[in-house]
Amino acid sequence: MQHTFRISGFADEASPSLEGQIRVLRQERMEWIDLRVVDGRNVVDLTDEALAEAARRLEAAGIRVSCIASPVGKIPFDAPIGPEVERLRRAIAAAQRLGTPYVRIFSFFLPQAEADALAGPVLERVEAFVRAAEGTGVRLLHENEKGIFGDTAARCLQLHRTFGDALGAIFDPANFLQCGERPWEAFEALAPYVEYMHIKDARLGQMEVVPAGMGDGRLADILRQLAARDGLVLSLEPHLAASPWMEQIMARERIPRAAAGSVQPEELFSLAHRALEKLLSA
């Protein structure tokens, strides 16, 4: 497939240390990272000095930050919003320091049976995030995480129609599948708002995540639709777990083993990258 995708990833799934993350990204010949955890600390909790040091180390390694993968909005919908807005401001400052235009946000955990009825309070709180980002040069991207308000295509669409150009979409096929939704239909509804994609696959209604192309996510079809968008980011968020089943996949895909014994996180990250490369080369 012809494309200009930028390939990024949550390298903290391979190692909690920044040194380990840099090592695995260079091993995979990847130049971008979704920055979430640095040496065991979430990026929004870093001091200015620690953030500057992370920037220096990434720059020295030739790795650029594609998005600040903040946890902002992963709190109950009725929790105080002030502290969360302050965390968002920290995430925005990190984005400015590290040279990325994107910060990831979520739309609050809430009882799913009451989600539609609680749309008003949720939208008010998301509006506080949007206001905090105004004039900063940083763009907020909402991820369809399971268990939050925006975990279905219909409610994601409500968010994006409400906030328009102020809120882009991170499209995560596996999260939709885990909520019982079909990613292709979700993508058709949300395509005008999609600016970023997490590469993660699953089987419909099941929690286990599988490598890209091995589930029901129709990733190949979605990627073909996105290929014309110049420079759109595909970010590996493998969420793969060691298991006898995963051992079989690694053997079949001929993923090299870094160590004897059980599958290591670095090897699972490599497997996820290899699966994506296979889709993109088809």
Side-chain angles (χ1 to χ4, degrees):
M1 147 187 344
Q2 295 294 317
H3 67 85
T4 59
F5 293 132
R6 290 178 287 166
I7 310 302
S8 186
F10 288 74
D12 58 355
E13 293 198 14
S15 173
S17 75
L18 188 58
E19 179 183 359
Q21 293 172 44
I22 289 170
R23 182 178 64 251
V24 76
L25 290 172
R26 296 184 74 171
Q27 172 187 304
E28 297 297 317
R29 297 192 173 114
M30 293 170 59
E31 299 178 354
W32 297 89
I33 186 172
D34 270 71
L35 198 62
R36 179 170 56 185
V37 173
V38 175
D39 297 329
R41 297 185 67 191
N42 193 281
V43 64
V44 299
D45 297 323
L46 296 179
T47 64
D48 291 343
E49 293 76 13
L51 191 63
E53 175 63 12
R56 185 195 66 76
R57 292 163 68 187
L58 289 167
E59 183 177 1
I63 294 170
R64 292 171 284 179
V65 177
S66 58
C67 182
I68 297 298
S70 88
V72 169
K74 271 193 166 185
I75 60 171
F77 83 98
D78 54 355
I81 193 63
E84 203 67 357
V85 171
E86 286 305 310
R87 287 213 299 172
L88 176 58
R89 291 196 174 105
R90 285 293 303 163
I92 289 170
Q96 293 168 328
R97 176 65 182 83
L98 293 163
T100 176
Y102 295 132
V103 167
R104 175 182 70 165
I105 65 165
F106 300 90
S107 54
F108 308 100
F109 293 116
L110 75 183
Q112 288 300 293
E114 302 174 34
D116 291 328
L118 292 170
V122 168
L123 293 174
E124 288 179 7
R125 287 161 173 77
V126 174
E127 185 178 7
F129 293 161
V130 169
R131 288 199 305 268
E134 287 176 352
T136 65
V138 172
R139 185 160 176 72
L140 302 183
L141 298 180
H142 174 268
E143 179 183 345
N144 57 290
E145 173 78 9
K146 55 188 174 293
I148 64 171
F149 175 80
D151 67 352
T152 66
R155 290 197 291 267
C156 285
L157 192 58
Q158 187 175 2
L159 282 163
H160 294 297
R161 284 177 171 169
T162 298
F163 298 106
D165 291 340
L167 185 66
I170 295 175
F171 190 87
D172 189 311
N175 287 352
F176 277 125
L177 286 162
Q178 290 172 341
C179 295
E181 299 225 321
R182 296 186 181 276
W184 179 252
E185 285 78 1
F187 178 75
E188 287 186 312
L190 296 169
Y193 305 100
V194 174
E195 297 185 34
Y196 208 96
M197 185 168 175
H198 286 174
I199 301 301
K200 194 159 90 226
D201 208 345
R203 296 192 172 95
L204 185 63
Q206 297 183 18
M207 298 307 291
E208 184 175 31
V209 174
V210 299
M214 298 183 191
D216 297 322
R218 291 186 62 176
L219 271 74
D221 294 331
I222 293 169
L223 291 175
R224 277 192 286 270
Q225 292 297 311
L226 291 173
R229 302 192 189 183
D230 188 43
L232 187 140
V233 176
L234 308 181
S235 183
L236 295 168
E237 190 184 17
H239 279 17
L240 300 177
S243 67
W245 177 81
M246 193 62 68
E247 292 271 7
Q248 293 174 13
I249 289 179
M250 293 192 69
R252 187 182 72 220
E253 297 295 316
R254 298 181 181 177
I255 301 295
R257 304 302 301 274
S262 62
V263 180
Q264 301 299 308
E266 296 90 343
E267 295 162 344
L268 294 174
F269 192 89
S270 176
L271 168 58
H273 189 209
R274 180 79 64 90
L276 173 60
E277 288 183 318
K278 186 175 180 180
L279 287 179
L280 294 177
S281 65

